[in-house]
Amino acid sequence: MSYILNIETATTNCSVSLSKEGEILVLKEDYNSNFSHAESLHLFIDTVFKEANLKPHEVDAIAVSKGPGSYTGLRIGVSAAKGLCFSLDKPLISVDTLAALSQQVDVDSGCIVPMLDARRLEVYAAVYDKDHKQMRTIEAQILNADSFKDFLDIGKVYFIGTGVEKTKEIISHPNAVFIENKLPSANEMGKLAYDKYKIGDIENVAYFEPFYLKDFIGTKAKAKD
């Protein structure tokens, strides 16, 4: 039996699950955490272990959503995952945030565009086919009326994630389907993490960093008088 603890903190959803051979046993999450992950995450981790009747040392690996997403959210999730890996001597598995988000869409044809809101008219997005195979790499892109036109002209395109709200105001196409109010979740991480675990696709715990896609830009403090 292979047990994996899955941690997702790339957006406002603080989400933790325990899976056994890819199947979710317990899920604990809060869609409206407003990035209070530092307060909720360890409580959720303790809860899923208790509800699954497992001890932390009994898991085989720790999986974390690697991004893109919120700088602060990703840092909190990755720091927690690395801390558990060090203390429990377990391998670290990283799961692409958009790949996991695309798993929430089950269709027979067309393609899936998981997207996360960025600044202004920008989104972080990738494109997957109906079998969740990546068709286009992750990009930070500025939306306009012709965005994803090559895919929309061929068939249905299912947009999902926090970038949907701004996208539906910009893209008007009969093949565009907007799936609203969906966030990345640890619920979809189980199978992806287990697939990586089976082939030994793990990260170097000491050197692993989240996938921010773009450099973090901090705000310079004002000089005091």
Side-chain angles (χ1 to χ4, degrees):
M1 297 294 182
S2 298
Y3 294 98
I4 298 177
L5 177 71
N6 306 287
I7 297 172
E8 164 59 68
T9 57
T11 66
T12 57
N13 185 24
C14 184
S15 182
V16 179
S17 70
L18 261 171
S19 57
K20 181 176 75 172
E21 296 184 347
E23 296 295 324
I24 300 298
L25 297 177
V26 182
L27 172 69
K28 179 68 176 177
E29 61 186 354
D30 179 5
Y31 260 49
N32 301 303
S33 66
N34 294 318
F35 296 111
S36 60
H37 302 326
E39 301 172 10
S40 304
L41 183 56
H42 289 285
L43 175 62
F44 288 1
I45 292 172
D46 289 340
T47 298
V48 297
F49 275 123
K50 289 176 181 176
E51 291 188 9
N53 197 28
L54 282 176
K55 302 295 184 183
H57 70 268
E58 294 180 287
V59 298
D60 295 280
I62 310 295
V64 66
S65 179
K66 72 176 183 178
S70 155
Y71 177 86
T72 301
L74 289 171
R75 293 298 300 179
I76 291 171
V78 169
S79 294
K82 293 172 76 168
L84 288 167
C85 289
F86 277 122
S87 63
L88 300 173
D89 192 24
K90 303 296 181 179
L92 176 66
I93 298 170
S94 68
V95 175
D96 185 293
T97 304
L98 295 182
L101 180 57
S102 77
Q103 296 286 322
Q104 295 186 28
V105 183
D106 185 13
V107 292
D108 296 323
S109 62
C111 60
I112 305 162
V113 178
M115 50 170 47
L116 297 180
D117 191 9
R119 297 185 183 91
R120 301 182 180 87
L121 296 180
E122 194 171 27
V123 294
Y124 303 137
V127 181
Y128 296 82
D129 66 16
K130 63 182 181 62
D131 298 314
H132 303 100
K133 303 296 184 184
Q134 194 171 51
M135 301 173 65
R136 198 206 73 181
T137 57
I138 300 170
E139 296 179 8
Q141 64 184 95
I142 297 174
L143 295 170
N144 59 55
D146 292 325
S147 296
F148 306 101
K149 188 176 186 300
D150 291 345
F151 300 100
L152 287 162
D153 286 343
I154 296 173
K156 293 290 185 184
V157 177
Y158 298 85
F159 296 94
I160 184 172
T162 60
V164 165
E165 186 173 353
K166 67 171 64 172
T167 303
K168 70 179 183 180
E169 296 178 355
I170 298 170
I171 296 178
S172 177
H173 194 287
N175 281 332
V177 180
F178 301 104
I179 303 172
E180 300 182 69
N181 303 316
K182 296 293 185 180
L183 298 176
S185 169
N187 192 51
E188 283 72 45
M189 290 179 64
K191 181 181 182 302
L192 299 179
Y194 182 55
D195 287 344
K196 284 195 165 190
Y197 176 76
K198 287 188 293 185
I199 61 174
D201 186 356
I202 62 175
E203 304 291 344
N204 184 309
V205 179
Y207 296 104
F208 175 74
E209 291 290 334
F211 176 52
Y212 297 119
L213 192 58
K214 296 198 303 181
D215 292 336
F216 173 69
I217 301 175
T219 302
K220 184 179 292 185
K222 293 182 179 179
K224 295 182 179 179
D225 294 332

